């Protein structure tokens, strides 16, 4: 390995000597000779100028336009390419800066603008004083374009064709195969952002407004008594958020106030559908289910920070209120509707949150941290007896809405002690306490101890190991009996059950040269639900990560990584509302492998190349044992992905980039594997929603350097 050498020129040598002389002068000798003591009363500063200072103004950066061909018969590939368009698609890219001679700056950026996941933003202002920004970002999630359904959208209602002939079962629907069409299940979000900030001498204020529109369709199950149909529920809602804050600061302190308001508006009040089945009893030809209601949220918070002499204190207090007062729908549209106790919920939930943090150095090599969090959820919604209509078909009495109040307190104290430059230990204790209402337990407590040992083996090698042990217990377990389906008294819900957990992590890293670096870690955790007879009884997780990067020279760089995880969980169940009589074991594993290459400055520094390959595989195997072992079917997802690019410099300011993405993806869910729309007599399904495709994306982008 070559040692680093520095060649010092003569002017720099003289500067270093002058610096050494200046440092050697004691404060007493230098008194009266500092810049702050100079007499500037008669200085003619109007003639001062920096002859070497050049203030650049005008435009800089790059703009680009692109066209691509997206060869994807399955819209699921859009989660990788950013668009579900099958065929030609165009986009705009930009990274442009403008600076005026007076100091104002404007920045414009765009990334794949024109795609469903494109983004753009423009910022302008004077750095260090104020800034205004306007932005847009698209987000999309593509599930499938092969969901089979006879239903069509008609406003807020899902209807079957006029020629539809209902049947008692799916096999008795004579026109079903002719009426089903492919339906897309996807969600598109469009976010618009407006923000501004201003910085004064001792304060900073900013305000942000965000508007989000969401559209698409998602899976919904419409039930009428013993029959059910999978429906593509329309999504069309908006969310508006307004936030403002102001902070004041001084030497060693900072205080601030922040507030926010948000409003959710749903264009659909209900999901309404025609029944595809002949009524089992009565005349239930249509169904209706409430959609997500309009709601609002308000929040006000105060923050403070104090620093001094190696100590820091952070404080935060916030209160919030969530309200919902949309008018109720009738309890049922089939037959006389039972009377409702109110015209709307008039719901209100208030929350209070407080955080206190302290960190400081108590002695040489010793520092401590302390933290206390308090959170309270208070449901102020009136408690009323509401009619319970089962699958929009029959009245089953009343039930009082639950409060689900919660108070959470967390205390954490930790210390770090450095034995030497190479070794330090960090450890602490955490106490987590929760009080609930209307759950199977009134309170839950968890105690945790953790310790971490860090060892710098050499300038190139470092390692650390961390261990955590926690124990969760709580009050007496009393199964909730206020619902129409009471729980087995032996059942312990996993998030409320007693649990003992152990966690271990080991990390080793190498960074001995500028050319090569690598890291590896292993982790394991063991959960034992020692007081559970019915429910989740144990969860064991193990895994490791390895990554490395090697730079052959300043132009060629390669990297690789490997990650694997295994999860084994066991649970017990009962079919007779008693002690366990069946058991299940679920083995899950995931693998992620990848490698990348970046090669620059080929062909007289005109060509840059890049190549990335990633492979991911996740699968789950479940065995149910009840006398005999009955394994579930396939449940997996596997993906190969290749992402390559080539960028060629056509001229000094013009470049052409070619992108290629290839993806091979397949998955399977045993729940609908090989399923047809009429496979289940009383359920009209979407069919088999698994994926199995090869997809390509080819893109060309022309860019101009300003």
């Amino acid at each position: 390995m070559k040692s680093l050498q520095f060649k010092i020129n003569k002017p720099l040598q003289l500067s270093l000597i002058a610096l050494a002389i200046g440092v050697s002068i004691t404060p007493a000798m230098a008194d009266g000779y500092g810049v702050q003591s100079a007499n500037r009363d008669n200085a003619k500063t109007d003639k001062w100028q920096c002859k070497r200072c050049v203030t650049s103004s005008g435009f800089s950066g790059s703009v680009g336009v692109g066209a691509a061909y997206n060869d994807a018969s399955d819209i699921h590939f859009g989660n990788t390419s950013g668009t579900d368009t099958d065929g030609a698609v165009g986009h705009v890219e930009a990274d442009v800066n403008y600076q005026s001679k007076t100091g104002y700056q404007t920045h414009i950026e765009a990334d794949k603008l024109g795609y469903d996941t494109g983004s753009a933003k423009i910022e302008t202002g004077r750095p260090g004083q104020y800034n205004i920004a306007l932005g847009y970002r698209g987000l999309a999630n593509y599930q499938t374009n092969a969901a089979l359904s006879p239903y069509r959208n008609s406003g807020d209602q899902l209807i079957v064709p006029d020629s539809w002939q209902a049947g008692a079962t799916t096999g008795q629907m004579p026109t079903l195969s002719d009426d089903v069409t492919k339906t897309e299940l996807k969600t598109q979000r469009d976010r618009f952002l407006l923000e501004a900030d201003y910085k004064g001498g001792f304060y900073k204020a900013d305000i942000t407004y965000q508007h989000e529109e969401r559209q698409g369709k998602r899976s919904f199950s419409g039930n009428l008594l013993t029959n059910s149909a999978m429906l593509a529920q329309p999504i069309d809602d908006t969310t508006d958020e307004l936030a403002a804050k102001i902070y004041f600061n001084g030497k060693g302190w900072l205080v601030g106030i922040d507030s926010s308001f948000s409003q959710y508006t749903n264009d659909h009040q209900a999901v309404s559908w025609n029944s595809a089945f002949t009524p089992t009893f009565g005349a239930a030809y249509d169904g209706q289910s409430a959609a997500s209601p309009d709601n609002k949220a308000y929040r006000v918070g105060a923050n403070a920070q104090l620093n001094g002499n190696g100590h820091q204190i952070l404080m935060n207090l916030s209160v919030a209120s969530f309200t919902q007062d949309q008018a109720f729908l009738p309890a049922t549209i089939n037959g006389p509707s039972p009377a409702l106790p109110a015209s709307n919920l008039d719901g209100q939930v208030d929350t209070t949150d407080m955080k206190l943090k302290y960190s400081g150095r108590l002695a040489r090599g010793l520092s401590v941290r302390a933290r206390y969090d308090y959170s309270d959820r208070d449901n102020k919604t009136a408690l009323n007896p509401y009619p319970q209509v089962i699958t929009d078909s029959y009245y089953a009495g009343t039930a009082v809405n639950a409060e689900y109040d919660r108070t959470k307190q967390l205390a954490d104290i930790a210390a770090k002690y450095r034995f030497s430059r190479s070794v330090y230990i960090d450890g602490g204790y955490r106490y987590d306490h929760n009080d609930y209402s209307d759950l199977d337990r009134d309170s839950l407590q968890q105690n945790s101890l953790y310790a971490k040992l860090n060892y710098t083996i050499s300038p190139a090698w470092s390692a650390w190991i961390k261990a955590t042990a926690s124990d969760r217990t709580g009050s007496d377990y009393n199964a909730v009996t206020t619902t129409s389906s009471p729980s087995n008294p032996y059942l312990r819900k996993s998030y409320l059950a007693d649990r003992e957990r152990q966690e271990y992590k080991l990390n080793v890293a190498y960074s001995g040269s500028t050319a090569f670096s690598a890291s590896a870690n292993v982790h394991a955790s063991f959960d034992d639900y020692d007081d559970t007879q019915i429910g989740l009884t144990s969860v064991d997780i193990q895994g490791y990560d390895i990554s490395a990067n090697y730079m052959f020279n300043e132009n060629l760089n390669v990297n690789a990584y490997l990650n694997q995880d295994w999860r084994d969980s066991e649970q017990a169940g009962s079919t007779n509302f008693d002690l366990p009589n069946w058991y299940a074991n679920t083995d899950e594993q995931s693998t992620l492998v990848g490698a990348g290459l970046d090669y620059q400055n080929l062909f007289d520094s005109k060509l840059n190349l890049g190549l990335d390959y990633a492979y991911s595989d996740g699968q789950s195997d479940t065995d149910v044992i009840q006398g005999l072992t009955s394994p579930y079917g396939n449940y997996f997802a596997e993906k190969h992905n290749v992402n390559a690019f080539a960028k060629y410099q056509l001229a000094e300011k013009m470049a052409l980039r070619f992108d290629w993405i290839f993806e091979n993806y397949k998955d399977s869910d045993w729940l609908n594997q090989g399923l047809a729309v009429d496979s289940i007599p009383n359920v009209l399904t979407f069919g088999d929603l698994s994926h199995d495709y090869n997809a390509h994306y080819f893109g060309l982008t022309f860019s101009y350097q300003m």
Side-chain angles (χ1 to χ4, degrees):
M1 185 181 298
K2 295 182 179 180
S3 61
L4 297 176
Q5 296 182 350
F6 298 91
K7 183 177 180 180
I8 304 176
N9 57 32
K10 190 170 184 180
L12 180 57
Q13 286 179 321
L14 295 177
S15 299
L16 294 174
I17 294 172
L19 177 63
I21 295 174
V23 171
S24 66
I25 300 176
T26 64
M29 293 177 61
D31 187 33
Y33 292 93
V35 174
Q36 68 276 11
S37 302
N39 185 348
R40 299 185 294 269
D41 295 340
N42 298 321
K44 298 180 179 180
T45 58
D46 57 323
K47 295 184 179 180
W48 292 2
Q49 64 177 359
C50 177
K51 296 182 179 180
R52 295 187 179 181
C53 296
V54 178
T55 302
S56 60
S57 61
F59 288 94
S60 62
S62 64
V63 294
V65 292
Y69 182 77
N70 199 42
D71 179 19
S73 58
D74 192 322
I75 66 170
H76 188 269
F77 179 57
N79 295 307
T80 298
S81 66
T83 177
D84 66 338
T85 300
D86 188 14
V89 59
H91 68 275
V92 176
E93 295 186 356
D95 186 2
V96 178
N97 288 288
Y98 173 77
Q99 180 168 321
S100 70
K101 294 182 179 180
T102 56
Y104 290 96
Q105 292 184 4
T106 299
H107 181 221
I108 302 173
E109 62 180 19
D111 180 33
K112 290 189 175 181
L113 188 60
Y115 287 16
D116 294 338
T117 57
S119 63
K121 190 173 185 180
I122 178 171
E123 297 180 84
T124 186
R126 184 186 289 272
Q129 185 175 357
Y130 73 88
N131 189 69
I132 301 173
L134 178 65
Y136 163 79
R137 183 182 181 187
L139 301 169
N141 178 266
Y142 307 99
Q143 185 178 349
T144 184
N145 58 341
L148 300 176
S149 175
Y151 284 91
R152 314 289 189 267
N153 286 90
S154 177
D156 290 342
Q157 192 171 24
L158 292 163
I159 61 174
V160 292
D162 294 336
S163 59
W164 180 258
Q165 298 182 39
T169 65
T170 56
Q172 298 175 2
M173 298 175 180
T175 62
L176 176 60
S177 59
D178 296 327
D179 289 329
V180 294
T181 58
K182 291 184 178 181
T183 301
E184 292 185 346
L185 300 178
K186 68 176 184 178
T187 305
Q188 172 70 43
R189 298 172 184 257
D190 294 305
R191 290 180 180 174
F192 302 90
L193 177 71
L194 175 62
E195 57 184 356
D197 63 76
Y198 183 84
K199 185 176 182 180
F202 63 96
Y203 68 93
K204 181 180 180 181
D206 63 61
I207 185 169
T208 303
Y209 170 70
Q210 179 176 286
H211 174 79
E212 178 179 289
E213 300 176 355
R214 186 174 62 156
Q215 293 182 327
K217 294 179 180 179
R218 63 185 165 200
S219 177
F220 176 82
S221 178
N223 303 317
L224 286 173
L225 203 58
T226 58
N227 298 320
S228 178
M230 299 303 297
L231 306 172
Q233 178 188 358
I235 303 171
D236 193 356
D237 54 28
T238 60
T239 302
D240 294 278
E241 298 180 12
L242 178 65
K245 56 186 175 183
I246 183 169
Y247 283 84
F248 302 89
N249 65 282
K251 185 177 181 180
W253 62 271
L254 181 147
V255 295
I257 298 175
D258 63 272
S259 61
S260 63
F261 166 77
S262 67
Q263 177 175 282
Y264 171 80
T265 305
N266 194 342
D267 288 351
H268 301 282
Q269 289 189 322
V271 183
S272 303
W273 69 95
N274 300 148
S275 176
F277 296 85
T278 54
T280 306
F281 301 103
Y285 291 95
D286 299 283
Q288 179 173 272
S289 179
S292 299
D294 298 352
N295 57 79
K296 299 176 182 178
Y298 312 82
R299 180 186 175 278
V300 177
N303 305 276
Q305 177 178 321
L306 301 174
N307 300 281
N309 300 321
H311 301 272
Q312 182 183 74
I313 298 175
L314 301 174
M315 295 173 285
N316 171 266
L317 175 64
S318 65
V319 293
S321 182
F322 305 83
T323 62
Q324 187 259 301
D325 58 3
Q326 184 168 308
F328 283 140
L329 298 172
T332 180
I333 62 172
N334 293 304
S337 177
L340 296 170
S343 61
N344 65 74
L345 181 67
D346 193 20
Q348 179 176 338
V349 175
D350 294 341
T351 62
T352 302
D353 293 279
M354 181 179 67
K355 299 180 185 294
L356 295 173
K357 291 183 179 181
Y358 165 79
S359 62
R361 175 179 290 186
L362 299 185
R364 182 180 177 87
L366 176 64
S367 60
V368 297
R369 306 181 304 276
R371 167 187 172 189
Y372 174 74
D373 292 355
Y374 172 86
S375 178
D376 180 70
R377 181 187 188 274
D378 183 14
N379 189 347
K380 295 184 177 180
T381 306
L383 304 181
N384 292 311
Y386 288 93
Q388 305 297 293
V389 178
I390 306 302
T391 65
D392 205 9
S393 300
Y394 67 92
Y395 176 59
T398 61
V400 177
N401 51 305
E403 287 184 322
Y404 296 125
D405 288 342
R406 175 183 178 179
T407 300
K408 176 183 175 67
Q409 298 183 77
L410 184 146
D412 192 342
I413 185 168
K416 176 181 176 180
Y417 184 76
R418 182 172 291 278
F419 294 94
S420 65
R421 291 179 177 270
S422 302
V423 181
Y424 72 80
I425 188 171
D426 192 350
Y429 165 75
R430 175 173 295 177
Y431 176 73
D432 191 349
H433 182 99
N434 292 270
D435 291 320
Y436 303 101
S437 68
D438 293 320
L439 292 182
D440 299 283
R441 299 186 103 164
D442 294 331
S443 65
L444 205 64
Q445 306 87 36
Q446 180 168 296
N447 296 275
S448 303
L449 286 171
Y450 54 95
K452 177 182 178 181
L453 176 64
N454 194 95
Y455 179 36
T456 303
I457 305 169
S458 69
W461 290 92
S462 63
W464 58 262
I465 184 171
K466 183 178 180 180
T468 304
S470 62
D471 180 46
R472 187 174 70 188
T473 59
S475 59
D476 292 339
Y477 207 101
N478 298 306
V480 173
T481 58
T482 55
T483 65
S484 59
S485 300
S487 300
N488 186 323
Y490 297 103
L491 173 67
R492 299 295 180 262
K493 298 172 182 176
S494 60
Y495 63 95
L496 294 174
D498 290 356
R499 184 193 66 192
E500 293 183 354
R501 169 176 289 179
Q502 300 178 52
E503 294 180 273
Y504 305 96
K505 297 180 181 179
L506 172 65
N507 179 273
V508 179
Y510 173 82
S511 57
S513 69
T514 57
F516 179 72
S517 62
S519 66
N521 73 74
V522 294
H523 56 272
S525 66
F526 308 94
D527 291 353
D528 182 13
Y529 296 84
D530 51 354
D531 194 37
T532 295
Q533 291 180 290
I534 302 290
L536 190 64
T537 57
S538 69
V539 179
D540 296 341
I541 301 174
Q542 298 89 35
Y544 69 90
D545 297 279
I546 301 174
S547 63
N549 186 87
Y550 185 74
M551 183 179 292
F552 287 90
N553 52 54
E554 61 181 7
N555 295 323
L556 179 59
N557 184 78
V558 296
N559 64 81
Y561 56 89
L562 170 62
N563 165 269
Q564 285 191 294
D565 282 283
W566 296 269
R567 175 188 173 101
D568 180 21
S569 58
E570 296 181 352
Q571 68 180 90
S574 174
T575 59
N576 56 9
F577 211 72
D578 202 348
L579 292 172
N581 60 5
W582 64 264
Y583 303 88
N585 176 267
T586 301
D587 292 324
E588 300 169 272
Q589 65 179 38
S590 65
T591 301
L592 181 62
V593 182
L597 178 148
D598 188 14
Y599 205 164
Q600 302 182 29
N601 298 321
L602 294 168
F603 296 106
D604 297 327
S605 300
K606 291 184 177 182
L607 179 65
N608 293 340
L609 299 175
L611 177 66
D612 287 293
Y613 167 76
Y615 167 78
S616 60
D617 174 64
Q619 53 186 301
S620 175
D621 296 308
T622 300
D623 290 332
V624 178
I625 301 122
Q626 191 175 12
L628 299 174
T629 299
S630 302
Y632 285 3
N634 290 329
Y635 189 82
F636 72 90
E638 182 183 58
K639 181 171 72 172
H640 297 266
N641 180 273
V642 178
N643 195 324
F645 81 90
K647 184 177 181 181
Y648 187 77
Q649 200 72 29
L650 299 172
E652 182 180 357
K653 293 188 175 183
M654 294 183 292
L656 186 66
R657 175 178 170 131
F658 170 75
D659 285 277
W660 172 53
I661 301 175
F662 168 76
E663 183 170 283
N664 169 262
Y665 181 89
K666 62 179 66 176
D667 63 20
S668 181
D669 184 345
W670 63 271
L671 285 171
N672 62 23
Q673 187 178 18
L675 203 64
V677 290
D678 59 353
S679 293
I680 305 175
N682 65 328
V683 181
L684 193 60
T685 75
F686 281 141
D688 190 342
L689 297 182
S690 60
H691 304 277
D692 187 357
Y693 63 83
N694 292 319
H696 296 268
Y697 169 94
F698 304 95
L700 280 175
T701 303
F702 173 80
S703 61
Y704 179 79
Q705 192 75 26
M706 306 180 72

